[in-house]
Amino acid sequence: MVQFDPTWASNSSNQHLVPNTYLKAWSNNNTDVYYIEKNEMNIDFKQKNFQKNTKRLTTVKEFYTRNVYTSFDEADDLKKIFLPLKSKKYSVIYNKKEIGSFEELKKEFHDFDSWEIYKPKNVLISNKEKAKLKKEIEEVKIRDIEEAWNRMFENSWPNTRETIEEAVMLNQGATIINAVKREELIKFMVAIEWRTFPPHPEILRQFNKLINILGIEKTLNEPVDKEERYLSIVSTIGEYYLHEIILKNFYKFFHNKGSIYAAYTHIYKNMDIELLIPESGYEFITSDNPINIFTNSNNEIEYIFPITPVLACAVRNNRNDLDIEKYRVTTYSKDKVITLNENIKNSCYRGYIIRKPDLKSYFK
């Protein structure tokens, strides 16, 4: 698999929580899917066009981007962020003291308007120059997390999906087949589980731990200063820190560390994958929160992940009767397909997705 490169930089500001390449499996024209909002009651395809372009679904502008306002920094972030200042050899006086380190500049950037900024030879810059400098600093976007997602997972997903589909097609009728692209499938599924909303329980646990350490329980609902709202969905102190935790978890994942990677490793080493094929005439739906997680009769966590409208996978604890390098293949009865679709519909965040404008293929 491709290894993370810290020099990666994405040009994309509109970043998908559910990958565009994943959603395209539910498209008939490679661009549009039928997207239905969670609370939509009047679903009449003759009266309303429910089609939406996959590029516009589940996007949040700059969601995985670091900048001067995010508190999560990596090694060279601050050098890049304050390059507009340092490249001009400016010096900064704040509260009658010179602040020269990148860390100090970041800490006091919230009060940028109070900075006295000097050119060489102790020449104070103009207000116009100062405003321009602030804008240049704010416009520095570090998008290595987004680019890592593209290069390590999203770009290769079509090949992963097609390889698994082909293995099922070439072994029609078989109940056990080789587990082709198993690592890629599990990593992709786990990444989506942690990438979508509502936030993963482990992220919420880390969030609550951080809040307790910082002792800021009473300030969680206080608004973030308007100019520091670097994301449309971040408006309170609590949302700010929750987003920071998400960034940290994904950065670690791309370096094969942290909670997301541990979740992947556990599934890879200890769980079986069963490929599910729907009964003829029925299809699987997906959503903006496509991983269906539940506790089985043995009080064990299981996962079901729709791969395409006609292929899904179930992930279950290994029973020692199946080599983990094999997939089990099962035809899912219409009743089970309908139950799964209802669960995905009910657990979606804002909406669910179908391939055909005909609910009979998905629900009762």
Side-chain angles (χ1 to χ4, degrees):
M1 230 181 206
V2 179
Q3 298 298 308
F4 183 88
D5 185 337
T7 65
W8 284 343
S10 171
N11 293 320
S12 176
S13 61
N14 290 320
Q15 299 168 3
H16 287 80
L17 302 185
V18 180
N20 185 40
T21 53
Y22 169 74
L23 297 175
K24 281 181 179 293
W26 276 262
S27 174
N28 291 311
N29 60 5
N30 206 38
T31 59
D32 299 321
V33 294
Y34 290 93
Y35 173 83
I36 303 172
E37 293 184 2
K38 187 172 188 175
N39 298 320
E40 178 69 59
M41 301 300 294
N42 183 26
I43 306 172
D44 185 343
F45 296 100
K46 293 180 180 179
Q47 298 295 322
K48 181 178 178 180
N49 183 9
F50 288 93
Q51 286 186 303
K52 287 196 175 180
N53 192 298
T54 58
K55 289 183 178 180
R56 298 191 181 95
L57 286 175
T58 74
T59 60
V60 178
K61 195 174 181 65
E62 304 290 9
F63 190 80
Y64 288 98
T65 300
R66 300 193 299 283
N67 58 34
V68 71
Y69 293 116
T70 52
S71 62
F72 168 47
D73 303 313
E74 281 305 311
D76 293 326
D77 285 4
L78 298 185
K79 291 181 182 178
K80 298 173 184 176
I81 288 169
F82 290 107
L83 182 62
L85 186 151
K86 290 295 184 179
S87 65
K88 298 179 178 68
K89 298 183 179 180
Y90 288 167
S91 58
V92 177
I93 304 297
Y94 178 66
N95 286 339
K96 299 181 179 180
K97 293 182 180 179
E98 182 171 356
I99 53 174
S101 73
F102 292 125
E103 290 72 21
E104 286 180 290
L105 291 169
K106 173 72 177 289
K107 180 182 177 183
E108 307 298 350
F109 190 78
H110 68 96
D111 200 17
F112 179 89
D113 292 345
S114 298
W115 290 9
E116 296 175 23
I117 304 175
Y118 292 88
K119 300 177 184 179
K121 298 183 179 180
N122 208 33
V123 178
L124 187 68
I125 69 172
S126 68
N127 289 335
K128 184 177 180 180
E129 289 173 308
K130 188 175 180 181
K132 180 181 178 183
L133 175 63
K134 184 178 184 181
K135 184 178 180 181
E136 288 176 352
I137 293 171
E138 290 176 327
E139 287 179 348
V140 175
K141 312 294 185 184
I142 301 170
R143 300 187 181 121
D144 53 3
I145 293 178
E146 177 65 11
E147 187 64 12
W149 171 258
N150 293 337
R151 298 197 190 200
M152 298 173 75
F153 297 97
E154 185 164 6
N155 293 347
S156 61
W157 173 247
N159 176 258
T160 298
R161 181 190 69 225
E162 290 164 10
T163 301
I164 296 171
E165 288 178 304
E166 184 177 313
V168 173
M169 290 290 295
L170 291 175
N171 295 276
Q172 286 189 30
T175 57
I176 304 292
I177 65 173
N178 290 331
V180 295
K181 299 288 185 178
R182 186 172 183 274
E183 176 185 353
E184 291 85 348
L185 172 60
I186 297 172
K187 281 188 174 179
F188 190 83
M189 185 192 79
V190 169
I192 288 184
E193 180 195 355
W194 286 69
R195 192 175 169 100
T196 49
F197 282 89
H200 190 280
E202 173 59 18
I203 286 178
L204 294 177
R205 188 194 69 79
Q206 294 176 24
F207 172 71
N208 291 328
K209 181 179 179 181
L210 176 64
I211 295 309
N212 290 332
I213 291 172
L214 296 176
I216 58 173
E217 294 91 340
K218 294 180 180 179
T219 66
L220 291 182
N221 293 321
E222 290 185 7
V224 176
D225 290 344
K226 191 172 182 180
E227 70 170 10
E228 297 181 13
R229 291 184 186 178
Y230 58 93
L231 278 182
S232 60
I233 62 172
V234 170
S235 59
T236 68
I237 298 294
E239 290 168 346
Y240 174 88
Y241 281 107
L242 184 61
H243 179 250
E244 295 291 309
I245 289 170
I246 293 172
L247 287 182
K248 289 180 181 179
N249 273 279
F250 268 94
Y251 195 87
K252 288 180 179 179
F253 178 49
F254 294 137
H255 289 79
N256 296 334
K257 299 176 182 178
S259 300
I260 307 178
Y261 188 74
Y264 152 74
T265 301
H266 173 75
I267 291 174
Y268 186 84
K269 291 181 177 179
N270 302 296
M271 303 185 81
D272 294 333
I273 294 181
E274 182 176 3
L275 299 178
L276 311 174
I277 302 170
E279 181 179 322
S280 178
Y282 291 85
E283 291 188 350
F284 298 116
I285 72 168
T286 192
S287 79
D288 56 4
N289 181 33
I291 313 297
N292 186 233
I293 305 171
F294 60 96
T295 303
N296 65 20
S297 58
N298 295 314
N299 202 34
E300 299 168 332
I301 298 295
E302 294 189 6
Y303 308 78
I304 296 185
F305 172 48
I307 297 172
T308 76
V310 293
L311 184 66
C313 71
V315 183
R316 304 187 175 99
N317 277 0
N318 187 270
R319 302 296 184 198
N320 297 318
D321 62 346
L322 180 69
D323 180 352
I324 64 170
E325 295 303 320
K326 302 288 185 180
Y327 292 138
R328 203 185 301 274
V329 183
T330 303
T331 297
Y332 234 36
S333 69
K334 68 177 183 179
D335 290 337
K336 288 186 175 182
V337 173
I338 289 169
T339 298
L340 173 59
N341 287 342
E342 289 288 354
N343 289 339
I344 293 174
K345 174 184 173 181
N346 293 334
S347 64
C348 73
Y349 188 58
R350 291 182 176 171
Y352 58 97
I353 293 162
I354 60 180
R355 179 167 64 171
K356 299 186 294 186
D358 176 15
L359 295 181
K360 293 179 182 178
S361 299
Y362 307 97
F363 307 106
K364 285 185 179 179

